[in-house]
Amino acid sequence: MFLGTQRVNNQGHLEIGGCDTLALAQQFGTPLYVMDEAFLRENIRRYRAAFAQKYPGESHISYAGKAFLVKRVAQIVAEEGIDLDVASGGELFVALSAGFPAERILFHGNYKSDREIQEGVAAGVGRFVVDNPHELSRLAQVAQGAGIVQKILLRVTPGIDPHTHAKISTGQEDSKFGVSIQSGEALAAVKLALASPSLKFLGIHCHIGSQLLDAQTHLDAGDVMVGFLAQIQRETGFSCEELDIGGGLGVRYLPEHAPLSFEDFAEALTGALLAAFERHGVTALPRLLQEPGRSLVAEAGTTLYTVGPLKTVQLAEKTKTYAVVDGGLSDNPRPALYGAKYSALVAGRASQPKDKSYTVSGKHCETDLLFPDMPLGEVTSGDILAVQTTGAYNQTMASNYNRFPRPAVVFVRDGEVSLAVQRESYEDLVRQEF
Ligand code: LLP
């Protein structure tokens, strides 16, 4: 499986963005996060174009920064002209530090502290996605104090179970996120919002889950959301201007993963929404908002590790070989958290047959099996292992466990490499300590 600009160069090495990954490992050390900039930009353009073509109304994409937000990513997102979704004061700060225009930011989170609410209002963020009645009244007060009218969306739970990993399911009735449509709380919150002079209620938001490989859950949620738009119209006379369906489209971690293409997803979702508008009698087409994170950035990321010790264990049923890499849980907690699987290749012999499997583990002081039973072909100590599809929820979820400095991030494009995040130093590890 080769993704984006990945290819094998004439030395048999894996190349990304026209850069030899062995040379990158040599220059910047490992573990190293390598981002394929052209691929990221292309994903943004294709996602946006797909909906611009299919959806007859206005459509907007906000990149979900939680997937991977460093200043460089915020700058690329700004340049590509899409919006940005932040989920904390910290993400907001990163975005603003990168010069991201505040009016193009959506501020998320199920518990925005008073400080975060104040920071968002002071920065002039375009929209707050209000999670609950508590936040609604806090935000109304802060906006009133600041003498502004804050635009908001209301996060609702459509009561859909997305059948993805439980920890990344968010749209079902039993969820900490959003207000329930079924129980009537959502309608009550809409009425409150409409009655608040310091808030401008624009519409409703949901996010149902992540790494969804087909469109069915989105279609089901879309139907419930459109039904709720119609109910709001009937009961309050207000036509929502915006409908935000969240993110969630899946990506290829393994060759057998076949997520819907952006184009097919746009076709399926638009078709279903238009049918639902008609069925529920919604005549004013709302602006369609979406917040993809993973599907824009995951496949554009590759992590390079150096293989150290190899250890063979003779078991009753088979012989197993551990290949230990110089990272692990601290730079990619997803296997441990979600049982996530990945594909990898030996960067120096990128086209060798993957006829031998290894248990790739990290160097933390516990059994951090990164990738059990990973087909790689021949592996020797000193090889560079390139783990694919690590662009989302890896660097953002990295830790300093065992006091490992977090890896550097480089962006590669057209044969040029550019350092976006420096590797942490040992000094960084004690910088905040007294
Ligand atoms: N919008 C909201 C409100 C969200 O909560 C999320 C993700 C997104 C958009 C973007 O979803 P995406 O397109 O990336 O699926 N750490 C987990 C993923 C958690 C996702 C949380 N919310 C993982 O590593 O799989």
Coordinates of all heavy atoms in Angstrom, one line a residue, residues 64 66 85 108 155 168 205 207 209-211 247-249 291-294 334 338 393 397, ligand 1:
A64 N -10.9 19.5 11.6 CA -11.0 19.2 13.1 C -9.5 19.1 13.6 O -8.9 18.1 13.5 CB -11.7 17.9 13.3
K66 N -8.3 18.6 16.4 CA -7.8 17.6 17.4 C -7.1 16.5 16.7 O -6.3 15.8 17.3 CB -9.1 17.0 18.1 CG -10.0 16.2 17.2 CD -11.4 16.3 17.8 CE -12.0 17.6 17.4 NZ -13.3 17.9 18.0
D85 N -11.8 23.8 13.3 CA -12.5 23.4 14.5 C -11.5 23.2 15.6 O -10.6 22.5 15.5 CB -13.4 22.2 14.2 CG -13.5 21.1 15.2 OD1 -13.1 21.3 16.3 OD2 -14.1 20.1 14.8
H108 N -15.3 24.2 19.9 CA -16.0 23.0 20.4 C -15.6 22.7 21.8 O -14.7 23.3 22.4 CB -15.5 21.8 19.6 CG -16.3 21.5 18.4 ND1 -17.6 20.9 18.4 CD2 -16.1 21.9 17.1 CE1 -18.0 20.9 17.2 NE2 -17.2 21.4 16.4
R155 N -24.9 21.7 19.8 CA -24.6 20.2 19.6 C -25.7 19.4 20.2 O -26.0 19.4 21.3 CB -23.3 19.9 20.3 CG -22.9 18.4 20.1 CD -21.5 18.1 20.3 NE -21.3 16.7 20.0 CZ -20.1 16.1 19.9 NH1 -19.0 16.9 20.1 NH2 -19.9 14.9 19.6
I168 N -14.6 6.0 20.5 CA -14.8 7.1 19.5 C -16.2 7.2 19.0 O -16.4 7.8 18.0 CB -13.7 7.0 18.4 CG1 -13.7 5.6 17.7 CG2 -12.3 7.3 19.0 CD1 -12.7 5.5 16.6
H205 N -25.7 20.9 15.4 CA -24.5 20.2 15.1 C -24.6 18.8 15.7 O -25.1 18.6 16.7 CB -23.3 20.9 15.7 CG -22.0 20.1 15.8 ND1 -21.9 19.1 16.8 CD2 -20.9 20.0 15.1 CE1 -20.7 18.5 16.6 NE2 -20.1 19.1 15.6
H207 N -21.9 15.1 15.9 CA -20.7 14.3 15.5 C -21.0 12.9 16.0 O -21.1 12.7 17.2 CB -19.4 14.9 16.0 CG -18.2 14.0 15.7 ND1 -17.7 13.9 14.5 CD2 -17.6 13.1 16.5 CE1 -16.7 13.0 14.6 NE2 -16.6 12.5 15.8
G209 N -19.3 9.8 15.3 CA -18.2 8.8 15.6 C -17.1 9.0 14.6 O -17.2 9.9 13.7
S210 N -16.1 8.1 14.7 CA -14.9 8.4 13.9 C -14.5 7.0 13.2 O -14.9 6.0 13.6 CB -13.8 8.8 14.8 OG -12.8 9.5 14.2
Q211 N -13.6 7.2 12.2 CA -13.2 6.0 11.4 C -14.4 5.2 10.9 O -14.4 3.9 11.0 CB -12.2 5.2 12.3 CG -11.5 3.9 11.6 CD -10.8 4.3 10.3 OE1 -10.7 5.4 9.9 NE2 -10.4 3.3 9.5
G247 N -17.5 15.2 11.7 CA -16.5 14.5 10.9 C -16.8 13.1 10.8 O -18.0 12.7 10.9
G248 N -15.8 12.3 10.8 CA -16.0 10.8 11.0 C -15.6 9.9 9.9 O -15.5 8.7 10.1
L249 N -15.4 10.4 8.6 CA -15.0 9.5 7.5 C -13.7 8.8 7.8 O -12.7 9.4 8.3 CB -15.0 10.3 6.2 CG -14.9 9.5 4.9 CD1 -16.2 8.6 4.8 CD2 -14.8 10.4 3.7
E291 N -16.9 18.7 9.6 CA -15.6 18.8 10.4 C -14.7 17.6 10.2 O -14.5 16.9 11.2 CB -16.0 19.0 11.8 CG -16.9 20.2 12.1 CD -17.5 20.1 13.5 OE1 -17.5 19.1 14.1 OE2 -18.1 21.1 13.9
P292 N -14.2 17.3 9.1 CA -13.4 16.1 8.9 C -12.0 16.4 9.6 O -11.4 17.5 9.4 CB -13.2 15.9 7.4 CG -13.5 17.3 6.9 CD -14.4 18.0 7.8
G293 N -11.5 15.4 10.3 CA -10.1 15.5 10.8 C -9.3 14.4 10.2 O -8.5 14.6 9.3
R294 N -9.6 13.2 10.7 CA -8.8 12.0 10.3 C -8.7 11.9 8.7 O -7.6 11.7 8.2 CB -9.4 10.8 10.8 CG -8.6 9.5 10.7 CD -9.4 8.3 11.1 NE -10.2 8.4 12.3 CZ -9.7 8.0 13.5 NH1 -8.5 7.4 13.6 NH2 -10.5 8.1 14.5
R334 N -2.4 4.8 20.0 CA -3.7 4.3 19.5 C -3.8 2.7 19.6 O -4.9 2.2 19.8 CB -3.9 4.8 18.1 CG -4.0 6.3 18.0 CD -4.5 6.8 16.7 NE -5.9 6.5 16.5 CZ -6.4 5.5 15.7 NH1 -5.5 4.8 15.0 NH2 -7.6 5.3 15.6
Y338 N -7.0 1.7 21.5 CA -8.2 1.3 20.7 C -7.9 0.0 19.9 O -8.7 -0.4 19.1 CB -8.5 2.3 19.6 CG -8.5 3.8 20.0 CD1 -7.6 4.7 19.5 CD2 -9.4 4.2 20.9 CE1 -7.5 6.0 19.9 CE2 -9.4 5.5 21.3 CZ -8.5 6.4 20.8 OH -8.5 7.7 21.2
Y393 N -4.2 11.9 15.2 CA -4.3 11.4 16.5 C -3.1 10.6 16.9 O -3.2 9.6 17.7 CB -5.6 10.5 16.7 CG -6.9 11.3 16.3 CD1 -7.6 10.9 15.2 CD2 -7.3 12.3 17.1 CE1 -8.7 11.5 14.8 CE2 -8.5 13.0 16.7 CZ -9.2 12.6 15.6 OH -10.3 13.3 15.2
M397 N -1.7 13.1 20.4 CA -1.9 12.3 21.6 C -0.6 11.8 22.2 O -0.6 10.9 23.1 CB -2.9 11.1 21.2 CG -4.3 11.6 20.9 SD -5.3 10.3 20.3 CE -5.7 9.4 21.8
Ligands
LLP1 N1 -16.0 17.1 15.2 C1 -16.1 16.7 16.5 C2 -17.0 17.4 17.3 C3 -15.3 15.7 17.0 O1 -15.5 15.3 18.2 C4 -14.4 15.0 16.1 C5 -13.6 13.9 16.6 C6 -14.3 15.4 14.8 C7 -15.1 16.5 14.4 C8 -13.3 14.8 13.8 O2 -13.6 13.5 13.6 P1 -12.8 12.7 12.5 O3 -13.1 13.2 11.1 O4 -11.3 12.9 12.8 O5 -13.2 11.3 12.7 N2 -8.6 9.9 19.3 C9 -9.4 9.0 18.5 C10 -10.4 9.9 17.7 C11 -11.3 10.7 18.5 C12 -12.2 11.5 17.7 C13 -12.9 12.5 18.5 N3 -13.7 13.5 17.8 C14 -8.6 8.1 17.6 O6 -7.4 8.2 17.7 O7 -9.1 7.3 16.9

